[in-house]
Amino acid sequence: ECLCHRFIEPLPFAIIMMDLNVQIAIVYIFSFVLNNASSMDTNPSTAINMLIFCVIWQFLRESSVILNGRLRHYFASAYNWLDICQIICIILTILMNYGNHISIMVDNQTDRAILIFSTFLAWIELLFVLHNFSFNLSVFVVATINAFKRLITFGITTLLFVAMFAHMFYIAGPDDPEICTIDNAIYANYTEEELTSAGKFACS
């Protein structure tokens, strides 16, 4: 009841609604306006001006959160890291538009990669903003985050096992890599036992 009362207070509710509107604007700009990296060579447009407003709002929002809380608690939250990444991506997109004045992006493939990653972040951030308005959605979002945390541990363990077996086979493998070459004339007269003892069993 206390949280519900707090939620409908004018200032907190206005901030949450502003976050929602700003995020919808960011998603719209990245998904439907800046969908072609080559268009970033033009002069500043209305969309870029909107991005400037959005990044200013998000920067002020994150600054107020940092000032009103503890720094270590702020950086311990995955939500805050997502906000920081989005702010960086928006700033890079704005700088790409002012490429004639601030030259940091010279490769069109790099520009396109930044736009792709920024679009992905924008939609994920919108999901996190929307979960403030729906309990069922918030349960799904929290469950997804917890699942990804478990998957990260599983992924690290899998990589360690793959690296372990890769080094074992590399050490046990042939001294001459040419033994793995199909129809190699040098080893044409070798028997299967001789090829195995020479380390061909590790060729795969």
Side-chain angles (χ1 to χ4, degrees), residues 19 22-31 51 55 58 78-93 112-130:
D19 287 339
V22 166
Q23 195 57 42
I24 291 175
I26 294 173
V27 168
Y28 173 78
I29 292 170
F30 277 114
S31 298
L51 277 182
V55 75
Q58 290 199 328
Y79 299 100
N80 295 329
W81 279 106
L82 189 66
D83 294 333
I84 294 174
C85 290
Q86 181 170 252
I87 291 174
I88 294 174
C89 286
I90 294 175
I91 292 175
L92 289 177
T93 304
R112 188 175 296 275
I114 291 175
L115 290 177
I116 292 172
F117 185 67
S118 300
T119 304
F120 169 77
L121 280 182
W123 282 97
I124 295 297
E125 183 78 14
L126 178 61
L127 179 63
F128 285 160
V129 173
L130 288 175

Side-chain angles (χ1 to χ4, degrees), residues 5-27:
H5 177 71
R6 185 72 177 168
F7 181 81
I8 62 176
E9 287 184 0
L11 182 58
F13 184 74
I15 293 176
I16 293 177
M17 290 303 299
M18 188 65 181
D19 287 339
L20 177 62
N21 292 326
V22 166
Q23 195 57 42
I24 291 175
I26 294 173
V27 168

Side-chain angles (χ1 to χ4, degrees), residues 27-68:
V27 168
Y28 173 78
I29 292 170
F30 277 114
S31 298
F32 303 105
V33 179
L34 305 180
N35 54 5
N36 188 353
S38 62
S39 65
M40 298 303 296
D41 296 329
T42 59
N43 291 328
S45 62
T46 303
I48 295 299
N49 293 331
M50 290 176 61
L51 277 182
I52 294 174
F53 170 78
C54 292
V55 75
I56 290 175
W57 165 259
Q58 290 199 328
F59 179 79
L60 294 176
R61 178 90 160 80
E62 297 306 308
S63 298
S64 64
V65 173
I66 293 175
L67 293 176
N68 293 325

Side-chain angles (χ1 to χ4, degrees), residues 144-175:
T144 303
I145 294 175
N146 290 332
F148 271 106
K149 288 180 179 179
R150 300 297 187 272
L151 286 176
I152 291 174
T153 306
F154 172 77
I156 294 174
T157 305
T158 303
L159 287 176
L160 289 176
F161 274 104
V162 170
M164 175 186 69
F165 282 107
H167 283 280
M168 288 171 58
F169 271 89
Y170 178 77
I171 296 172
D175 295 330

